[in-house]
Amino acid sequence: MKIVLSKDIKDIDAQTVEEQGITSYELMHRAANALTGEILKQHSGGRFHIFAGPGNNGGDAILTGLNLCNAGHDVTIYLFNTTGRLSDNCQKARDEAAATTGLNFIEVTKTFETPHIDDGDTIIDGLFGTGINKPLSKGFAAMAVFINNCHARTISIDIPSGLMCEDNSFNNMQSIIKADLTLAIQFPKLAMMFQEFGQYTGEVRTIDIGLSAKAIAGCQSPYCTIERAMVAPLIKKRKRQTHKGDYGHALLVAGSYGMCGAAVLAARGCLRSGIGLLKVQVPASCVEILQTTVPEAVVCPDYHEHIFTSANCDITEPDAIGIGPGLRQDPLTAEGLRDILTRAHVPMVIDADALNMMADGKQLMRNIPAGSILTPHLGEFDRLTGKSKDPYTRLAKAIETASNFGVYIILKSSFTSVITPQGEVFINTIGNPGMATGGSGDVLTGILTALIAQGYTGRDAALLGTYVHSLAGDMAAAKAGQISMTAGDIAGCLPQAWMSLAGDGDNAG
């Protein structure tokens, strides 16, 4: 699904009106009807308090309130018309509301007495929508604080008032309404995809109101969500007459004393993702653990007992190298990383402490082979490029870094982003909080290394690997629960995830 930029939304609305032969006010009624249906699905009682601003978002809120009133609910609408200037459609909605009997409609022009709102009531936030381009101030900032201090359930229409669709680097984050549920009209907004803004958006549901598909497709946005239909066709079919050499040779460099489990998890992710031959280099102290837990892998012991120091196998043989899970940071390990980056000429998957050591030696970035994949979480990326004051700035840095070094970046968070060297940003929306557990990223490193070794492009490997990792995570949560699931459960559910995505064996040959 494309994530449309705020600057294009009015044009999409206008093109929809023209194509479908309707008025913009009829389109507003359509949005209100869809919003009402979604609100009533989860309503469990109590009064509705509708806070409407002077623009079209306020018009949506007013018409939604009218629908709720007509459905027999106790509704109060507060329209804030402090300047005497309403948008045309908000004015029409205001006139409809004022003429409706049985509706408690209050138009605020000067002063506002805050109402009593019970805990069991529902607040519907329609103060400001996607057109806002500056922080809320004065009375509206005070309204945000008032609503946030209420204990009633809050539902925001399209986007929480005060939150800008993309760049909030200059926003006053104290003056943004904190919704329990955001009903995004037609498509999510980029700001909803940032982990840091989850406290404002709450749960996000997208409401389809039939906007022009042609207009949406014509928008030039680098952002979209990763969809099952996008990644399933990427899976390569296996031919009947093949052998292990046809499915890639991968090398994982992972583990250290006390962190051999990271190497095990990465190896399991790799082996469960179709690799033909896997070698794993670990410190000597980890060899027995690896050979016991992952017998399918060839284990190469490091010369050092406890850490990785240098490649102890031929690094010209593998089709892809994954490095980082559980390595620990050490000067000898940093030298070993430098050696591999200098001598290896195949795509690499770089994770965890390998990234942290690059942060300490920025010159190492120049040696990353083109087409490689970097998999930092937010903290690792900040160490690599410098701390960002907000998520939009961090994403811009990731786009720049991917372009400058010709690499793919998987920026891990609750909504993981896949960034290509061409500036595309694909955002993953599946997965669950149970995946926020140690070792989850190690499994992903193994998956990605297997895909690269099998000949998938960096782009396809990043998209497919990110999606199947989260799909396995959702399957693990269904079996073990989000609280109890482990990274091992994610690796254990990879067969089911691959079969599901491939069509239950359709790609088996």
Side-chain angles (χ1 to χ4, degrees), residues 265-273 443-444 446-447 464-465 467-473 475-476 479 487-501:
L265 290 166
R268 286 178 174 167
C270 193
L271 289 163
R272 290 296 191 184
S273 298
V443 176
L444 176 62
I447 295 169
L464 183 55
Y467 189 89
V468 79
H469 178 252
S470 291
L471 182 60
M475 291 173 173
K479 288 183 177 182
D489 294 324
I490 299 172
C493 285
L494 280 172
Q496 181 184 352
W498 281 116
M499 288 176 66
S500 169
L501 200 57

Side-chain angles (χ1 to χ4, degrees), residues 147-159:
I147 290 173
N148 289 342
N149 285 334
C150 291
H151 297 289
R153 178 172 171 78
T154 300
I155 301 174
S156 285
I157 293 177
D158 210 13
I159 191 168

Side-chain angles (χ1 to χ4, degrees), residues 16 29 33 41 68 136 167 209 225-226 243 262 268 309 316 362 371 377 422 426 493 501:
T16 300
H29 265 287
N33 292 340
K41 281 181 187 177
L68 293 169
L136 297 186
D167 185 1
I209 66 167
T225 58
I226 305 174
H243 56 83
R268 286 178 174 167
T309 58
T316 65
K362 295 290 195 300
H377 58 57
Q422 293 74 35
F426 299 89
C493 285
L501 200 57

Side-chain angles (χ1 to χ4, degrees), residues 253 308-311 315 323 330-343 357:
V253 179
F308 163 68
T309 58
S310 61
I315 62 172
I323 186 167
D330 185 275
L332 290 176
T333 303
E335 283 303 313
L337 172 62
R338 185 188 308 276
D339 179 57
I340 286 183
L341 286 170
T342 302
R343 295 195 295 122
M357 285 182 281

Side-chain angles (χ1 to χ4, degrees), residues 170-401:
F170 56 94
N171 206 344
N172 178 4
M173 308 310 289
Q174 305 304 313
S175 300
I176 299 173
I177 286 179
K178 295 181 178 180
D180 298 292
L181 171 65
T182 298
L183 298 178
I185 295 176
Q186 198 66 47
F187 31 71
K189 283 62 183 176
L190 181 63
M192 299 174 186
M193 302 290 104
F194 293 134
Q195 177 174 297
E196 293 90 336
F197 295 160
Q199 62 178 309
Y200 305 107
T201 62
E203 179 189 357
V204 177
R205 298 182 196 169
T206 302
I207 308 300
D208 188 345
I209 66 167
L211 294 181
S212 167
K214 180 181 178 181
I216 294 171
C219 290
Q220 299 300 309
S221 171
Y223 311 107
C224 71
T225 58
I226 305 174
E227 303 295 331
R228 185 186 182 97
M230 176 194 298
V231 298
L234 300 178
I235 299 177
K236 297 183 178 212
K237 292 186 177 181
R238 294 200 164 202
K239 297 177 181 179
R240 176 67 63 185
Q241 296 179 340
T242 54
H243 56 83
K244 65 183 180 184
D246 295 322
Y247 299 109
H249 175 182
L251 170 65
L252 283 173
V253 179
S256 59
Y257 182 75
M259 297 191 70
C260 300
V264 172
L265 290 166
R268 286 178 174 167
C270 193
L271 289 163
R272 290 296 191 184
S273 298
I275 192 64
L277 176 64
L278 171 63
K279 291 182 180 177
V280 186
Q281 177 162 340
V282 292
S285 59
C286 296
V287 171
E288 186 174 346
I289 293 171
L290 263 291
Q291 295 208 305
T292 303
T293 57
V294 195
E296 301 89 347
V298 177
V299 181
C300 304
D302 195 277
Y303 297 111
H304 200 285
E305 185 74 13
H306 298 310
I307 59 173
F308 163 68
T309 58
S310 61
N312 196 21
C313 52
D314 188 351
I315 62 172
T316 65
E317 290 181 350
D319 299 298
I321 298 173
I323 186 167
L327 280 190
R328 296 194 185 276
Q329 297 183 63
D330 185 275
L332 290 176
T333 303
E335 283 303 313
L337 172 62
R338 185 188 308 276
D339 179 57
I340 286 183
L341 286 170
T342 302
R343 295 195 295 122
H345 302 291
V346 295
M348 300 177 66
V349 179
I350 304 174
D351 183 34
D353 275 334
L355 292 170
N356 290 327
M357 285 182 281
M358 284 184 172
D360 290 336
K362 295 290 195 300
Q363 69 278 7
L364 293 177
M365 291 284 290
R366 302 188 188 96
N367 296 326
I368 299 174
S372 294
I373 301 175
L374 280 57
T375 62
H377 58 57
L378 302 183
E380 288 166 345
F381 186 78
D382 282 351
R383 285 192 285 275
L384 199 61
T385 63
K387 188 170 179 61
S388 298
K389 63 179 180 179
D390 70 283
Y392 184 79
T393 301
R394 182 188 294 113
L395 183 58
K397 284 184 182 179
I399 294 170
E400 181 181 16
T401 302

